[in-house]
Amino acid sequence: GKLRAFLLKLADAKTVERKTASEEKYPLLGVEDVSAPEAKGVRVDLAGLAEPVQLVIGNAAVRGEGTYVRRVGEEPSWLVSGTLSVARTPAEWLRKDLLDIPAGRIASVTLTPAEGKPVRIVKASEDDANFTLEDIPKGREAASEYTVNGVASTLGGLQIDDVMPAGEAVPPEDAIVARYETFDGIVIEVHAWQHEGKDLARFTATLDAARADAAMAAAQDKARAAHEAATKVAGHDEEQADAPAAPPAAPLAVSDPAKDRAERRSVLDKEVADLQARLDGWTFVLPSWKYASMDKALNDLLKPVEGQAPKS
């Protein structure tokens, strides 16, 4: 969409006024050769046309609307209509959305730091409002619900700042390992570390078959109970067999449990495959606040000891 919007603006642009043909004055308009050390413009090459387009797109006009442009290999520069702003770094052209697994879907999170004990938060049921912090030391209390629940929100609306091939940034031995398990069996494991001022992470997606099977069985039990309740409400239990209304249609979980399980499993397998296809082979640069949500020690999720200042 971003590329299409730029091309449409470029297609609509019209030459308004001829500008300098002096190479010494090109920098004033940002249309000098982009190989120059202090070049301000961006070169755009469009291939596949009868006549390939090669432009240096420079500064926006100081007064009014328009952009300064020069055709590569030609001396005159031009003021053209429209604002032809071009993202200047590869990161600006990335699709930043990476994952969106909300906290409500998470059953447990385990954070394993390079040193110290792992941190683990859990929910017994999807209906629970809050996570429970495990292994709280004697005499200590968990921090606020907001603080503990925030650990499970890392994968929700997760966007990246940048990305690189996995081989260019390999997790060190002291990387943080964060493991997120959903109620329906999807497992996202993250190796996260810091390098040269960047917060880096590698992700893998797998399926815990045992948890998935348990979740499917629970979902079928719930569907069966709901159907039985609906049937009784409609007056079609054995004691009221003469009720005139037609019984409610049975869901697949009741009418064909095997097929229902197969369909549920197929959906999960596809989700995992799609996730792994997106994640595999890449190291991602994360926003610092998302990295911080994985860089937690147990003490960070406990109420401060009386007289001790909380960690900033």
Side-chain angles (χ1 to χ4, degrees):
K2 187 171 185 176
L3 180 59
R4 182 176 184 273
F6 169 74
L7 291 175
L8 288 173
K9 286 185 177 181
L10 186 59
D12 289 340
K14 308 295 182 184
T15 53
V16 175
E17 182 180 356
R18 181 184 172 114
K19 291 294 181 179
T20 184
S22 169
E23 187 173 342
E24 294 179 354
K25 294 182 179 180
Y26 287 163
L28 297 175
L29 306 182
V31 296
E32 69 271 38
D33 193 298
V34 296
S35 63
E38 303 298 325
K40 302 181 185 69
V42 177
R43 175 165 168 166
V44 175
D45 289 54
L46 303 183
L49 305 173
E51 295 184 12
V53 174
Q54 298 176 320
L55 302 171
V56 175
I57 296 179
N59 303 333
V62 177
R63 299 182 182 85
E65 295 184 356
T67 307
Y68 298 116
V69 174
R70 183 174 62 84
R71 294 187 180 94
V72 174
E74 297 184 7
E75 292 183 350
S77 55
W78 300 85
L79 173 65
V80 301
S81 61
T83 303
L84 302 178
S85 58
V86 187
R88 294 169 180 264
T89 65
E92 293 178 278
W93 289 96
L94 292 175
R95 180 177 175 181
K96 300 295 183 74
D97 298 324
L98 183 64
L99 294 172
D100 190 16
I101 301 177
R105 193 177 171 189
I106 301 293
S108 68
V109 180
T110 304
L111 306 178
T112 305
E115 298 179 359
K117 295 181 179 180
V119 174
R120 182 172 169 81
I121 65 169
V122 298
K123 265 188 183 181
S125 166
E126 288 184 81
D127 297 328
D128 292 346
N130 300 303
F131 285 84
T132 299
L133 177 63
E134 292 190 338
D135 301 322
I136 298 176
K138 186 177 180 180
R140 300 292 301 276
E141 294 181 59
S144 68
E145 296 169 349
Y146 174 82
T147 300
V148 176
N149 292 340
V151 174
S153 66
T154 305
L155 304 184
L158 177 59
Q159 294 187 323
I160 62 172
D161 288 341
D162 205 348
V163 64
M164 63 195 74
E168 294 182 8
V170 179
E173 292 184 2
D174 61 351
I176 298 166
V177 180
R179 181 182 174 90
Y180 302 84
E181 300 182 29
T182 68
F183 282 100
D184 51 3
I186 292 177
V187 178
I188 304 294
E189 188 166 277
V190 188
H191 287 72
W193 70 102
Q194 294 179 310
H195 181 66
E196 296 182 349
K198 294 181 179 180
D199 299 309
L200 306 178
R202 291 281 305 277
F203 295 79
T204 57
T206 56
L207 184 68
D208 183 331
R211 183 184 279 275
D213 287 342
M216 287 188 287
Q220 288 188 329
D221 289 344
K222 187 175 181 179
R224 189 178 301 109
H227 177 65
E228 291 174 355
T231 300
K232 285 189 176 184
V233 169
H236 286 278
D237 59 359
E238 293 181 357
E239 297 177 358
Q240 298 177 333
D242 58 344
L252 191 61
V254 175
S255 62
D256 192 342
K259 183 178 180 180
D260 178 72
R261 288 175 66 87
E263 290 186 359
R264 291 174 187 268
R265 181 59 185 267
S266 177
V267 170
L268 284 173
D269 286 340
K270 184 180 186 304
E271 183 174 3
V272 170
D274 290 346
L275 286 170
Q276 188 60 8
R278 189 184 315 159
L279 301 170
D280 190 37
W282 301 101
T283 293
F284 301 95
V285 181
L286 303 184
S288 59
W289 66 279
K290 285 290 188 180
Y291 178 87
S293 69
M294 294 183 283
D295 187 18
K296 298 291 185 185
L298 181 58
N299 197 56
D300 298 331
L301 302 181
L302 298 173
K303 288 183 179 179
V305 176
E306 187 174 350
Q308 176 183 327
K311 181 181 178 181
S312 59

